[in-house]
Amino acid sequence: MLCAAVLGALARAARTGRGEKVDTSLYGGQVALQAWEFAERSLRGGGAQPRAGVGHPLINGRGVWQAFEASEGWLAIGCTDPAEIETLCSVVGVDPPPAGPDQAELGAVVSRLAEQLRLRPAAEWVERLRAAGVAAAPVQRYGDILEDPQARENGYLVEMDHPEHGAITVVGMPITFDREAMSRATPPPSFGEHTERYLEELGYGWEEITRLRDEGVC
């Protein structure tokens, strides 16, 4: 996302001679990469999409890097440093793994962590873990993000007026230029809406366009 923003700014600078500051975020990027899921959730309302699973294929067995179910909600925890894992275990209340644990030993610790984390709400665990220096965050559902003022304030979610569905929430642009969110969203064209425009650009006259329509070509 940041690379695309820099390239866009360079292209604009080449035309205008004006430089600018570009910015994006991990949060905005994750929202943008799931535009299809957000659009479906926004249009259909209620119900929840199935979860995609937990963990990371490159880190499982080497650290604690996954989502855990709490008594209320889910939270994500990420730590690979042995000292961080020991701190995590201390906060949650389980015995830490021995020095240089193999995958089986760490897997057993992760199982015990999962058991303990189910005893308290995700919000409480996140607060306690962050205070101890452990990377943790609540896992948001699509519905949570659709109601998140931060996502809207940054332009990651915007309102779009659709000719058939009315005002709906869609994913915006996760990139800002000079700290201004690109928040304008226009509906997709209807079937054949721009046919005449592009045929004209290709050099077709109105008589030819009319003939093509009468013949069912376009």
Side-chain angles (χ1 to χ4, degrees):
M1 295 296 177
L2 186 58
C3 176
V6 170
L7 292 174
L10 288 173
R12 181 175 180 179
R15 295 196 303 268
T16 66
R18 175 178 175 272
E20 57 192 316
K21 182 175 182 177
V22 297
D23 189 26
T24 187
S25 71
L26 292 173
Y27 185 28
Q30 288 298 311
V31 173
L33 289 171
Q34 299 177 80
W36 175 21
E37 291 84 350
F38 279 108
E40 181 181 29
R41 177 65 171 77
S42 175
L43 281 169
R44 296 188 178 182
Q49 289 88 344
R51 293 186 177 277
V54 299
H56 192 289
L58 300 180
I59 298 178
N60 288 348
R62 301 180 182 181
V64 181
W65 195 281
Q66 66 182 69
F68 293 90
E69 185 177 12
S71 64
E72 295 179 15
W74 287 64
L75 70 154
I77 299 174
C79 55
T80 56
D81 182 79
E84 291 179 345
I85 295 174
E86 186 171 347
T87 300
L88 166 63
C89 291
S90 176
V91 173
V92 178
V94 303
D95 293 331
D102 59 26
Q103 292 189 7
E105 291 172 334
L106 186 55
V109 171
V110 171
S111 295
R112 292 196 295 272
L113 287 169
E115 292 175 0
Q116 288 295 111
L117 290 167
R118 291 192 186 97
L119 302 179
R120 298 176 183 272
E124 181 179 337
W125 284 124
V126 168
E127 182 179 357
R128 293 176 61 182
L129 290 170
R130 284 179 174 176
V134 176
V139 176
Q140 292 181 301
R141 296 179 182 272
Y142 293 117
D144 297 330
I145 298 176
L146 285 169
E147 300 299 327
D148 187 352
Q150 184 176 183
R152 295 178 183 274
E153 183 68 24
N154 284 286
Y156 303 152
L157 294 173
V158 296
E159 294 297 313
M160 179 183 73
D161 290 325
H162 194 280
E164 296 181 14
H165 302 287
I168 61 173
T169 300
V170 297
V171 169
M173 175 64 70
I175 296 168
T176 62
F177 292 91
D178 284 342
R179 297 195 177 279
E180 292 185 7
M182 300 175 65
S183 58
R184 188 173 69 90
T186 56
S190 59
F191 183 72
E193 180 178 339
H194 298 136
T195 299
E196 295 172 353
R197 167 187 166 187
Y198 289 121
L199 287 175
E200 281 191 293
E201 289 182 2
L202 290 171
Y204 287 84
W206 276 105
E207 290 185 4
E208 293 176 285
I209 294 174
T210 300
R211 178 178 58 80
L212 290 173
R213 285 198 178 281
D214 291 341
E215 295 176 357
V217 177
C218 63

